[in-house]
């Protein structure tokens, strides 16, 4: 194996991740025939098939599964070596791959991207929005440098830094305007609109509604894929929902809803930044966490 290259390993990892030549080629910014050719060259170098090819999808062979695990380790180690070299040259981060959960991204990113590009001229910034488990996976695989999530993540391989705590507010139909905030017990009797399974904000909302570990779930749960959809469902009179404070100004500006803040102790969440403990960019990421904290300055309420 004298001609094995990192580029081939990156193409292989992308195809293993996507299971589709077209999507993998797009992710690597090359043509599908070029990707296919490089995979065949790699298989020739390794002396065995890496993928089962059938129809539109491809899947790893058993040999390919073993190679995929080792390839990810090699790529992660190379990225950390590259990061160490960048950090040692001048202390500034030249490229930053950020992951953000969906209930934070639309509200924090406009400020954050502006602040980062202003403070770090020429920064090559990549942003990925997805759910926490996927962000943790991509951090551990070296495909992200940092992620902004709800804490705790409790992942031994990651450093966690708390940034700020924000309250949740209740949205009700406009007809309920002026009514006092319901108690937890009363809230459990309402039609509660929630994000679909997999969103940590769903679990946090349910945790507030349940006063005991085995308490009954709110009745007539309805799921949505985004906070925007939840707010529009409330506007349509389908029920009530909880949203984080940072989302209020954006999501309610065109919706006819009633905004209610709970009495203390208010439901809340802590937003923080996480990165690999082994990352050579650790000192720079800790500095960037302060930029994120400042970027999260409160938005004006409607």
């Amino acid at each position: 194996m004298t001609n094995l290259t990192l580029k081939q390993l990156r193409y292989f990892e992308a195809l293993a991740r996507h299971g589709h030549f077209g999507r993998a080629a797009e992710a690597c910014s090359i043509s599908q025939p070029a990707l296919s050719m490089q995979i065949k060259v790699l298989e020739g170098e390794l002396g065995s098939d890496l993928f089962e090819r059938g129809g539109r999808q491809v899947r790893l062979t058993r040999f390919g599964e073993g190679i995929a695990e080792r390839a990810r380790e090699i790529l992660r180690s190379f990225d950390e070596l590259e990061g160490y070299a960048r950090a040692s040259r001048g202390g500034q981060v030249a490229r930053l791959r950020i992951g953000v959960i969906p209930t934070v991204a639309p509200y924090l990113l406009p400020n954050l991207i502006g602040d980062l590009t202003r403070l770090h001229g020429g920064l090559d910034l990549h942003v990925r929005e997805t759910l926490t488990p996927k962000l943790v996976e991509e951090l551990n695989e070296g495909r992200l440098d940092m992620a902004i999530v709800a804490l705790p993540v409790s992942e031994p391989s990651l450093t966690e830094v708390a940034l700020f705590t924000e309250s949740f507010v209740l949205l009700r139909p406009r007809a309920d305007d002026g009514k006092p905030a319901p108690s937890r017990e009363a809230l459990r009797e309402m039609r509660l609109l929630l994000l679909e399974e997999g969103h940590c904000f769903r679990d946090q909302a349910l945790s507030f509604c349940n006063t005991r570990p085995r308490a009954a779930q709110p009745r007539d749960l309805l799921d949505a894929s985004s906070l925007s959809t939840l707010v529009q469902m409330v506007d349509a009179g389908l029920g009530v929902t909880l949203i984080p404070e940072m989302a209020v100004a954006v999501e309610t500006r065109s919706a006819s809803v009633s905004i209610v803040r709970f009495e203390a102790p208010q439901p809340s969440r802590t937003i923080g930044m996480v990165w690999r403990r082994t990352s050579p960019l650790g000192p720079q990421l800790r500095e960037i966490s302060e930029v994120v904290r400042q970027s999260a300055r409160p938005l004006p309420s409607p």
Side-chain angles (χ1 to χ4, degrees):
M1 291 191 299
T2 59
N3 297 317
L4 192 64
T5 68
L6 281 169
K7 184 175 291 187
Q8 289 170 340
L9 290 182
R10 292 198 188 279
Y11 294 161
F12 164 69
E13 191 279 331
L15 184 55
R17 177 161 33 99
H18 291 283
H20 187 278
F21 275 99
R23 289 194 292 271
E26 184 178 357
C28 295
S29 300
I30 62 169
S31 69
Q32 185 171 329
L35 176 71
S36 181
M37 182 184 69
Q38 288 297 321
I39 296 298
K40 290 299 293 182
V41 170
L42 181 60
E43 289 177 323
E45 287 290 326
L46 295 174
S48 185
D49 289 342
L50 296 168
F51 297 95
E52 297 175 15
R53 295 162 172 84
R56 298 176 63 85
Q57 297 293 120
V58 295
R59 65 177 61 188
L60 288 165
T61 62
R62 176 165 293 188
F63 175 71
E65 289 175 353
I67 294 297
E69 183 177 343
R70 289 161 177 80
R72 291 188 186 104
E73 287 293 327
I74 292 169
L75 292 172
R76 181 171 60 187
S77 296
F78 180 80
D79 285 343
E80 291 187 351
L81 179 63
E82 189 179 42
Y84 175 76
R86 294 200 312 267
S88 298
R89 282 196 298 268
Q92 284 227 346
V93 178
R95 181 188 67 171
L96 188 62
R97 299 166 299 172
I98 301 176
V100 193
I101 56 174
T103 56
V104 169
Y107 321 111
L108 176 62
L109 284 178
N111 283 345
L112 178 59
I113 291 174
D115 291 343
L116 284 174
T117 53
R118 185 176 65 256
L119 294 172
H120 300 271
L123 177 65
D124 182 14
L125 192 60
H126 300 260
V127 178
R128 168 96 161 108
E129 178 186 336
T130 190
L131 302 179
T132 300
K134 190 65 176 174
L135 292 177
V136 170
E137 175 187 328
E138 294 183 11
L139 273 171
N140 283 326
E141 290 178 356
R143 287 189 273 138
L144 290 174
D145 297 310
M146 52 162 278
I148 301 169
V149 297
L151 299 182
V153 173
S154 302
E155 179 75 17
S157 62
L158 301 179
T159 294
E160 296 186 8
V161 173
L163 299 174
F164 59 91
T165 298
E166 63 170 343
S167 300
F168 305 160
V169 302
L170 177 69
L171 299 190
R172 300 183 296 195
R174 179 66 74 183
D176 292 337
D177 207 10
K179 295 181 180 179
S183 65
R184 295 189 187 191
E185 292 77 7
L187 191 57
R188 290 205 305 272
E189 297 302 317
M190 296 178 179
R191 174 178 278 187
L192 185 62
L193 312 175
L194 295 169
L195 292 175
E196 61 192 0
E197 293 281 355
H199 287 268
C200 56
F201 187 73
R202 173 192 176 93
D203 299 331
Q204 292 157 355
L206 284 173
S207 177
F208 171 68
C209 295
N210 294 336
T211 56
R212 297 180 301 278
R214 296 183 178 275
Q217 297 293 318
R219 64 182 181 87
D220 296 333
L221 293 179
L222 295 178
D223 294 348
S225 60
S226 70
L227 294 178
S228 296
T229 302
L230 289 179
V231 175
Q232 294 307 314
M233 291 166 73
V234 173
D235 191 355
L238 296 181
V240 303
T241 194
L242 299 176
I243 67 170
E245 188 82 35
M246 69 161 56
V248 172
V250 173
E251 299 299 349
T252 65
R253 60 190 171 194
S254 61
S256 180
V257 295
S258 172
I259 303 167
V260 182
R261 287 168 174 80
F262 294 95
E263 296 181 1
Q266 294 182 333
S268 64
R269 66 176 180 177
T270 297
I271 299 299
M273 202 170 111
V274 295
W275 61 86
R276 292 185 307 282
R277 291 187 182 277
T278 58
S279 173
L281 299 176
Q284 288 84 357
L285 293 175
R286 198 169 288 277
E287 291 177 3
I288 286 171
S289 72
E290 291 302 317
V291 179
V292 179
R293 195 192 312 273
Q294 292 301 315
S295 299
R297 52 191 176 272
L299 295 171
S301 298

